[in-house]
Amino acid sequence: MKKFSITGFLDQFVGVQAGKKIAKDVKTGELHEKREALHEEIEEKKAGFDIKKAAKDFWYGKPHGERRLGDLYIGNTGLYKHREWRGVKDTMYYFNCIWLYNYLNMGLDIFKGDEPLAFFKGVWRYRWMGQTYLSVMHWFDRGLEGLRGEALKASAWHYRAMVSETIRQFMRMFAADTKLHLDEKNEYWHKTIAHDETVSGNIFYPWRDVLDDVPLQMIPYFVSCHVNNKTVLNYIDAMQSIGLPADPCPMCQAESGIFVLDDYPDYSPVMVTSNEACDGSVATSIITDWFLDRPLFAMPQPMRFDDPLVQKHCQEEIEQCWKFIEKEYGIPFDFEQYKKYAESFNKLTEFEHEKWDVAANTPYYPINSVAQALYRIYYSQDGDREIWHKTDAHVKKIMDKCVEKKIETFPMTRHRAIAWSCAPLYYSNWCTWAYNCWGINTIINMDSLMFDQMLRTDTYEHALEDLATFNELAPMRSMAVGGHEHIFQLWKYMEQFNCDFVIMYDQLQCKGMQGIKGMFEDEFRKRNIHAIWVPHALPDKRTVSRKEIRSIINDYMITVMREEPLDPSLLDFDDDESW
Amino acid sequence: MKKFVINLLKILGITYVILFIVFFFDLDGKLLYYLWEPNAVMHYDRMKRKDNTLTPYGKKDNVMPDSEVKAKKIG
Ligand code: SF4
């Protein structure tokens, strides 16, 4: 992290450094040479200048192969010299309906929150808030780079929904937080359930009308990694500073590090935890229990869940959790509330299936891979909320239009890829880069395919059974550590989504997936499948940088596939210091 | 009234153009990156925090006796 200095800041903006350099160049005579070279360059450009083409590029934006998106970056900051010109229509759409609209709505969402002033206190108090939240528009920029038309619109709606739900969650946390209210346990505190981000929001439907449930690490850890990946490094280091070796899964380290640094909001009288992120690595539930020091219910998700006895056990645990909430809050379980929200949630799943159908069988799917993955994992983990329905309605309109009018949303697709295993959180937008640079279009990813379970509500027994299965199909549980029969569902989904390419994430500190790497290698060879192993360390960009990830993909595309990049300016650039 | 409306439109027009310049040249990003973030980081680094590692182990009482959990019925 660069230290701020007034002079350094002025240098950036008033060009003092540039002035000094010019003075030096005059002395050494370099300026003359540079001027000559510039003249030559201008003459060359003049000779090749075509006014009609320039007007067309201005109006419609440059065609894919001529964009040179990599030239827009400033050094290794990830900032843009200027944002991309996408043609008049799409640039104005981005400016009005994405940039302005989202800044405005971010403000409005804060004022819709339970206690708007708590936002400022939260920014002041929590690193994950102040360092991350304000740079959110750059998260949009990175994920939506190069997109045009309907793909730009549909993907941006997904981002909007995630921002809105994030604000709802942190505003509730802040309204209830004793640390922002001089240790006072207010009404919000008494009416909020805290739970691990990997405990599904569906579990708490029986109380949704009277209590609110907010996952503890979703915003401080998960969302912050995507928006500004620097924040999380503090938490990883904090956990190691109390003696944890560096090799366990950094997700578990970071989630626990938030407690070590006292950077968690205290917004609930209870805590419901799971064994995910993998307890085998860090024993996160035990650490949470120690630091939070309040009634805690641990509800582990079984790893090998195919055995019917394990299913039964899982159902019993959910029931125990319900009893725990009844007892702690003194509010009885309400099956009618469960039914209402579960049925509403099923509508989201129905639309998800519709989306998969279009993605699998047509080239008209308007959602890019990073929007698809993050939105899906976010809403299915979070549970039923109004914003997801509103977003799906917008996206459905766009998708129907694409299908009806046969709009090819990613026209430069050379390969239809499926991304498998646990993804790098600090570079979830690698797939935007891969499409822009190589035409690798990631159609679907493992995170989207989990939780594929309708929730029956006809009887209590059916409801419980389905909820238990839903819980077992949690992120990273079934297809990352749930046994090879689930992990190898890859082949089935490859066929279903008509993919010819696999991006195989290689989370270097994930003991589950590391154990099965050799079996994958054998299968890829046997089935003659092109697969690129992408090493990473989930939230920790220091282990494998984004630049290294790109260079691994570049190497494969050049040496094995013998292809030319669509945008050579994206092959090699620095972004180590970017958000 | 007419003058007021014209002036208002002028102000809105100028604001819109300024916002577009901020957007196009990524001035929001530059401001946050060069000015906000380094100061924010300095603030969080200097912040006095509770030493949570001093929390005693096992301070908590048993929140619900096992017999009570087993006896409860739901649904
Ligand atoms: S499955 Fe792997 S990446 Fe996911 S939490 Fe467990 S160890 Fe970490």
Side-chain angles (χ1 to χ4, degrees), chain A residues 249-252 276-278 281 422 475-477 480-481 507 509-513 538:
Chain A
C249 174
M251 170 163 173
C252 322
E276 246 211 335
C278 299
S281 291
C422 316
M476 300 189 283
R477 180 50 27 117
V481 288
Q507 210 278 67
Q509 285 154 270
C510 177
K511 309 294 182 281
M513 283 308 272
L538 217 60

Side-chain angles (χ1 to χ4, degrees), chain A residues 194-259:
Chain A
H195 58 94
D196 266 355
E197 60 173 334
T198 45
V199 171
S200 165
N202 285 332
I203 303 280
F204 307 102
Y205 288 163
W207 293 271
R208 263 280 163 95
D209 288 345
V210 280
L211 301 172
D212 202 353
D213 53 283
V214 182
L216 199 147
Q217 310 91 347
M218 183 76 101
I219 314 301
Y221 163 72
F222 183 75
V223 174
S224 76
C225 293
H226 296 279
V227 179
N228 181 348
N229 58 53
K230 298 172 193 172
T231 322
V232 70
L233 307 178
N234 292 281
Y235 305 127
I236 296 173
D237 293 349
M239 198 55 206
Q240 289 174 20
S241 77
I242 64 164
L244 187 85
D247 71 325
C249 174
M251 170 163 173
C252 322
Q253 295 189 45
E255 286 190 353
S256 309
I258 290 168
F259 293 104

Side-chain angles (χ1 to χ4, degrees), chain A residues 120-176:
Chain A
F120 300 100
K121 292 192 209 165
V123 169
W124 189 251
R125 175 61 181 79
Y126 298 110
R127 182 192 291 272
W128 48 264
M129 183 65 201
Q131 203 183 338
T132 301
Y133 175 72
L134 293 169
S135 59
V136 76
M137 285 318 297
H138 249 261
W139 177 50
F140 279 65
D141 291 332
R142 292 194 296 275
L144 306 177
E145 250 172 40
L147 291 189
R148 301 283 189 270
E150 305 311 309
L152 176 65
K153 291 177 194 170
S155 306
W157 277 117
H158 284 67
Y159 273 76
R160 166 79 210 114
M162 289 186 277
V163 171
S164 178
E165 175 56 14
T166 298
I167 296 171
R168 193 199 65 75
Q169 286 185 20
F170 68 61
M171 288 309 289
R172 177 66 183 208
M173 291 203 271
F174 293 161

Side-chain angles (χ1 to χ4, degrees), chain A residues 4 80 82-83 96 99 103 123-124 127 130 138 228 259 261 289-290 293 320 323 327 577, chain B residues 16 23-24 26 28 30 33-34 36-37 43-45 47 49 52 55 59-60 63-64 69 72:
Chain A
F4 173 72
Y80 299 104
H82 63 78
R83 283 188 164 98
N96 291 310
W99 191 82
Y103 266 132
V123 169
W124 189 251
R127 182 192 291 272
H138 249 261
N228 181 348
F259 293 104
L261 285 183
D289 197 15
W290 170 31
D293 192 26
Q320 302 263 338
K323 284 179 192 171
K327 177 183 174 282
E577 285 298 318
Chain B
Y16 187 77
F23 158 76
F24 191 66
D26 192 11
D28 52 330
K30 285 164 188 153
Y33 191 91
Y34 291 119
W36 170 265
E37 195 183 33
H43 162 69
Y44 301 121
D45 284 350
M47 195 184 253
R49 289 164 196 276
N52 264 348
T55 313
K59 184 171 123 189
K60 194 176 53 186
V63 290
M64 190 178 193
V69 176
K72 280 215 129 209

